Amino acid sequence: MLLYTAALLVFASGCSKVEYAKIDSPAYLRVFNNLNYTISLENKDEPVPFLTMLIDPVMDGDGMPVSAAIKGDFLDQREPYAPPYPSHVGTSISYKNPEYPGKESVLVGPILNGFDLSSWAQIPFGKHRVVFMFRPVNNTPFFDLDPKLKHNILIDTTLALDAKEVYTLHVLQKDFVKKKNGIYLRKENFQNLSLSDSLVYVNFYNMSAKGFQEASSTLKSAYAKSGALGDGIKDKMNVFYTLYKTNLSVKAPVPGYTQKFMGGLTRNTEVPDVNPYYSFPLFADGTSNGIVTGIWQHLDIMAPGLDPSNNPYYTFESHTDGNWAPIDCILTGQTLVPGNQNSALLTNMIVNIPSGKYNMRSFATVNTIEIVNGNVYLTTVQRKYAPPIY
């Protein structure tokens, strides 16, 4: 895992060297592009959602940006899983960046109160002008583009960031009918909470656009489908969870952790409050050895009045009127559980990784699950852990 310090860093890449100046009292920022549509006949007049983020840009007399204090280029639509470390740095061969900082070579966060912030970029605290630009889908850096391609502004706003605080910034669609876009800046608090390292934590957000769920399915074909979640969910829902053992079967639940209520979920793209965290034990399976566990998580997001015991829908139905969206958090989020044909897939919330003398060890994490229109995303934050001893 890549760990970075908050002081002067030197990142070696081949024979080149990049030096970073120290930032006094930084804020920590992570950015996701949630404009999760593809261009089709229904939305052919919309720009391709491929972005450049400019922080404190310098504009010429025509309003075209010519430089910026901070640039996040090639910002593509986010991936379903945002891991607890910058996995894209030095490994991806694509010029596209699924988040910021992602694969950008920038000064990133430290271990703060035990949590690894290496997926957050350091930003000078204070007020900043933040501009998101639509850009062509090619590998030409933004400031090297033809001038006529550097005028399409998506968002131009001012943000205030406090020192030593952790922020997640989302670009998203706020109104499906009017095709209105905007941003959603959330000041996280997981690093300030007293959280047990024997519990897995997760909170939920429905950041879908107004009117998405109510719209006809024929108008939503340009949006990626995630099982029964593809049509969206209603503005108010409840969340239930079930834990299952290691085999790919829903016939082996962990005793005592079946169809348990977690809490409510309300659609919101305006008020950036942190939603409450819910938890379940890392070693809920009493038959595990207390070192590694393979349990996985099934979530049922259901309209008020419904629960998993009185579900009127079948597991093969992809259209559930926005009343039910099942999610399986299993392995790397690529494996469909037999019998759960309409489940959206996410990565397991428990991190299994070599540590200390153990070839594999399980670690509890802090997770955020975000539903945006027809897609669902998982962001995982991990505590510092002992590196493996070989």
Side-chain angles (χ1 to χ4, degrees):
M1 186 177 73
L2 299 174
L3 293 178
Y4 297 77
T5 64
L8 179 68
L9 294 185
V10 175
F11 179 80
S13 177
C15 297
S16 62
K17 182 185 296 184
V18 180
E19 295 187 355
Y20 303 94
K22 182 178 182 293
I23 298 177
D24 294 322
S25 300
Y28 307 108
L29 181 67
R30 193 172 188 176
V31 181
F32 293 108
N33 174 9
N34 297 271
L35 298 179
N36 54 13
Y37 56 85
T38 54
I39 301 301
S40 68
L41 290 176
E42 290 82 9
N43 63 344
K44 58 181 172 44
D45 295 326
E46 292 187 55
V48 176
F50 194 56
L51 310 176
T52 294
M53 177 187 69
L54 305 175
I55 297 181
D56 297 328
V58 175
M59 305 291 196
D60 66 12
D62 296 323
M64 184 182 73
V66 294
S67 65
I70 297 171
K71 180 184 72 169
D73 208 354
F74 311 112
L75 192 58
D76 199 10
Q77 299 175 57
R78 68 184 293 188
E79 295 180 349
Y81 181 51
Y85 53 89
S87 60
H88 305 287
V89 175
T91 58
S92 175
I93 60 174
S94 172
Y95 63 90
K96 298 179 180 179
N97 200 359
E99 61 179 276
Y100 178 85
K103 63 182 66 177
E104 297 275 6
S105 296
V106 299
L107 192 63
V108 297
I111 302 295
L112 183 63
N113 297 335
F115 289 98
D116 179 8
L117 294 185
S118 58
S119 290
W120 273 261
Q122 291 194 28
I123 303 290
F125 79 95
K127 287 187 177 181
H128 298 280
R129 181 183 181 185
V130 180
V131 178
F132 285 92
M133 312 283 298
F134 286 110
R135 55 150 300 140
V137 183
N138 60 37
N139 62 358
T140 303
F142 179 79
F143 289 116
D144 293 336
L145 293 170
D146 187 279
K148 66 182 180 182
L149 302 175
K150 294 186 286 186
H151 284 282
N152 196 352
I153 294 177
L154 166 64
I155 295 164
D156 187 346
T157 189
T158 299
L159 301 178
L161 305 179
D162 296 328
K164 303 294 181 67
E165 297 294 343
V166 179
Y167 294 90
T168 308
L169 176 60
H170 296 274
V171 179
L172 43 72
Q173 185 183 66
K174 294 200 172 188
D175 192 305
F176 181 72
V177 176
K178 297 179 180 179
K179 305 303 179 187
K180 177 185 176 183
N181 299 316
I183 62 169
Y184 181 88
L185 178 69
R186 186 169 63 238
K187 184 177 180 179
E188 307 288 1
N189 68 353
F190 61 84
Q191 75 282 3
N192 298 323
L193 300 177
S194 297
L195 303 179
S196 170
D197 59 7
S198 63
L199 296 175
V200 178
Y201 295 88
V202 57
N203 64 355
F204 300 88
Y205 298 88
N206 179 7
M207 303 188 304
S208 299
K210 177 182 178 182
F212 179 83
Q213 186 273 318
E214 297 86 351
S216 169
S217 296
T218 61
L219 299 177
K220 295 181 279 193
S221 63
Y223 292 77
K225 303 298 182 183
S226 296
L229 189 61
D231 274 338
I233 57 175
K234 291 186 174 177
D235 286 2
K236 290 188 179 294
M237 303 289 280
N238 291 321
V239 181
F240 302 81
Y241 79 98
T242 298
L243 302 181
Y244 289 98
K245 296 187 178 182
T246 54
N247 51 324
L248 288 173
S249 172
V250 295
K251 297 180 180 179
V254 177
Y257 294 94
T258 302
Q259 300 177 354
K260 294 178 70 72
F261 176 70
M262 274 190 161
L265 176 61
T266 300
R267 189 188 68 82
N268 172 33
T269 61
E270 301 298 334
V271 182
D273 292 338
V274 176
N275 285 347
Y277 285 98
Y278 309 105
S279 65
F280 58 86
L282 171 63
F283 295 107
D285 180 7
T287 64
S288 69
N289 58 9
I291 298 170
V292 64
T293 179
I295 62 173
W296 56 276
Q297 308 85 42
H298 173 84
L299 304 170
D300 289 296
I301 301 177
M302 310 197 78
L306 297 179
D307 64 60
S309 66
N310 69 356
N311 189 354
Y313 300 97
Y314 295 101
T315 57
F316 57 79
E317 293 185 80
S318 59
H319 299 290
T320 62
D321 307 305
N323 290 320
W324 176 45
I327 301 170
D328 288 334
C329 301
I330 184 166
L331 300 176
T332 59
Q334 304 293 324
T335 304
L336 184 66
V337 179
N340 287 10
Q341 297 97 315
N342 64 349
S343 287
L345 295 177
L346 291 176
T347 300
N348 197 321
M349 293 185 225
I350 296 172
V351 169
N352 292 306
I353 197 167
S355 177
K357 64 181 181 180
Y358 301 106
N359 183 52
M360 194 62 64
R361 188 173 182 182
S362 297
F363 289 92
T365 56
V366 177
N367 301 273
T368 292
I369 289 179
E370 291 157 326
I371 295 169
V372 184
N373 293 348
N375 278 310
V376 61
Y377 305 99
L378 171 64
T379 301
T380 296
V381 182
Q382 187 174 328
R383 295 172 177 82
K384 181 182 179 181
Y385 68 94
I389 299 172
Y390 296 108

